[in-house]
Amino acid sequence: MTEEDGEIAVLMRNGSQLIATFYESGVSLIASTHRRRIETNIYFINYEVQVPYNFSNEIEGLFGTLDGDYEEIKHYRRGNPTPYLIGITDSSHLYDFLLSWEVNTLESLFNDPSSMDRKRQAEDFSPIFFDNLNFTVEQVELCGGSESCLFDFAVTGDVEIATNILEHEKNTTKAEEILSNFPPSISADAVFRVSVGERSVYTLTVTDPGDTFTLSVQGGLPPDSFLRIGREGEHKFIWTLQDITTESLVFVATDSKGAASTFNPTVEVCACVNEGQCTLEGLLTSNETIVMNCKCTEAFSGDFCVEDRNGCSEIQCFEGVECMDVPAPGVGAVCGSCPNGYTGDANKCYDIDECALNATLCEQLCINTDGSYTCACNEGHQLIEGTNQCQDVDECEEGGANDCQQLCDNTEGSYVCSCTDGFTLADSSNCTADQPCMDGGGCSHICANVEGEEKCFCPLGLELSTP
């Protein structure tokens, strides 16, 4: 197929013929060649022009104005202004008329230097008329009713030329049939939507008046499909698609003469399951097979709505609480119970103040913590390990637990400092001698006068060394 000056031309070969059809104008050109003799390189060229009826009264030639009336008056192209009268077979009259339509050197599309020699030869040429010929039995048997074959066979005596003329006429007839024949017409919806696993029906209307046709699918029927040929041109293509496909679907209608039409619908494959909706959102449509996107229900996800949507991806349970997806077709998710020490719906959990709810949890002090509680004791007491009970701390026995200078007396939850004889408690922890020794009595720490005798004493926690 070519395009010249904005007009589409279709070129076809039919044996030795080349056929060019210009669809814009409807004009067809048919050219064919045959060799005069096998042992030579001399060829005959047969050239035909076929024009539609809308060219009526627009073209004039040997046969007059193109209007379908072949009996009308013919006119000379140049020279004699007198109309050529049909039925007069006078050779000079007819020959002069034919020569008036001759293409001269200036008008010819071909540059042929020998054209002048042929012109001189033509002046001595005497045409031969069909009615003046006598035909042999051989010529009649070969040519039958073909006047072209009979004429050329009788004039040339060449059986090969006669045979080629018959072949040319046969090809011309076939070409005319091809040009006059129109392929079947196919009409159907531009889009064929097919759902995987379901029975899909596509209706085509095919017509070809005065001819028979066959309907098929290019490349063969897809699996699990068939064509149901109906009456009055309406036919059904039924397809139960079992799996996703991207193969295109082309219907072909072919008539008895081999002319064919094709129809290529856009096939939209819907493979959504679990009530998912097929959509073209996000896709570019074309004349090919396309797999549609899926808009899934709340319970499913994935390309074709096959997967159970994870409801836990859409909610947040309290820290440490297990999230459990609700199996499809259910939706959403469920959180487990709040941890011990918390209350709530597991999406949100709140700390329970155990101390406020139960005053007997601890013997002395109850301290609420996040999700639990801790028992503690008042000052001077300590918690008995593994229980909620408290016991007194003996500060006098535990080193560093008291600040008494001399003597320590344990009390419930506390202690009291005191002094040895000869000393008096100066404050809550320190002692002073009742009769202090002069100049420290040689003691490193404490010197006291006991019954008139100076003695050395040590602070609590130290022992007096023997000199």
Side-chain angles (χ1 to χ4, degrees), residues 216-292:
S216 62
V217 175
Q218 193 174 81
L221 285 169
D224 303 300
S225 70
F226 62 93
L227 278 167
R228 178 178 292 166
I229 306 301
R231 296 179 179 179
E232 299 180 357
E234 189 171 280
H235 314 287
K236 307 287 186 182
F237 173 70
I238 302 171
W239 195 7
T240 306
L241 183 63
Q242 299 299 326
D243 201 358
I244 297 172
T245 181
T246 56
E247 295 295 326
S248 59
L249 191 63
V250 181
F251 295 96
V252 182
T254 307
D255 67 13
S256 62
K257 299 179 181 65
S261 297
T262 61
F263 193 84
N264 179 203
T266 296
V267 180
E268 296 176 350
V269 177
C270 176
C272 306
V273 297
N274 296 316
E275 300 182 357
Q277 295 181 355
C278 289
T279 175
L280 293 174
E281 292 180 9
L283 293 175
L284 295 177
T285 58
S286 66
N287 287 332
E288 300 177 353
T289 299
I290 56 176
V291 179
M292 305 178 72

Side-chain angles (χ1 to χ4, degrees), residues 192-405:
F192 178 28
R193 180 168 293 187
V194 183
S195 297
V196 175
E198 297 181 10
R199 188 174 184 263
S200 303
V201 180
Y202 186 60
T203 302
L204 303 100
T205 301
V206 184
T207 57
D208 193 2
D211 201 352
T212 59
F213 63 85
T214 58
L215 183 62
S216 62
V217 175
Q218 193 174 81
L221 285 169
D224 303 300
S225 70
F226 62 93
L227 278 167
R228 178 178 292 166
I229 306 301
R231 296 179 179 179
E232 299 180 357
E234 189 171 280
H235 314 287
K236 307 287 186 182
F237 173 70
I238 302 171
W239 195 7
T240 306
L241 183 63
Q242 299 299 326
D243 201 358
I244 297 172
T245 181
T246 56
E247 295 295 326
S248 59
L249 191 63
V250 181
F251 295 96
V252 182
T254 307
D255 67 13
S256 62
K257 299 179 181 65
S261 297
T262 61
F263 193 84
N264 179 203
T266 296
V267 180
E268 296 176 350
V269 177
C270 176
C272 306
V273 297
N274 296 316
E275 300 182 357
Q277 295 181 355
C278 289
T279 175
L280 293 174
E281 292 180 9
L283 293 175
L284 295 177
T285 58
S286 66
N287 287 332
E288 300 177 353
T289 299
I290 56 176
V291 179
M292 305 178 72
N293 287 334
C294 294
K295 187 175 182 180
C296 303
T297 62
E298 189 178 356
F300 294 92
S301 64
D303 291 341
F304 304 109
C305 307
V306 175
E307 303 168 13
D308 181 359
R309 188 186 299 275
N310 183 9
C312 291
S313 64
E314 300 174 1
I315 68 169
Q316 184 175 1
C317 298
F318 188 75
E319 183 179 359
V321 175
E322 181 185 7
C323 179
M324 295 168 288
D325 175 58
V326 176
V331 297
V334 176
C335 295
S337 301
C338 289
N340 291 333
Y342 292 88
T343 184
D345 60 2
N347 292 93
K348 293 183 179 181
C349 296
Y350 305 94
D351 176 53
I352 298 174
D353 189 347
E354 294 88 352
C355 299
L357 294 176
N358 188 353
T360 64
L361 289 175
C362 300
E363 181 185 17
Q364 293 184 2
L365 301 175
C366 181
I367 302 171
N368 185 60
T369 60
D370 195 12
S372 187
Y373 68 93
T374 300
C375 289
C377 299
N378 296 323
E379 187 176 358
H381 294 79
Q382 64 182 9
L383 193 66
I384 300 174
E385 185 176 358
T387 71
N388 61 352
Q389 301 297 310
C390 295
Q391 63 181 7
D392 177 52
V393 176
D394 189 347
E395 294 88 350
C396 298
E397 292 294 329
E398 296 186 9
N402 67 80
D403 58 355
C404 295
Q405 189 178 37

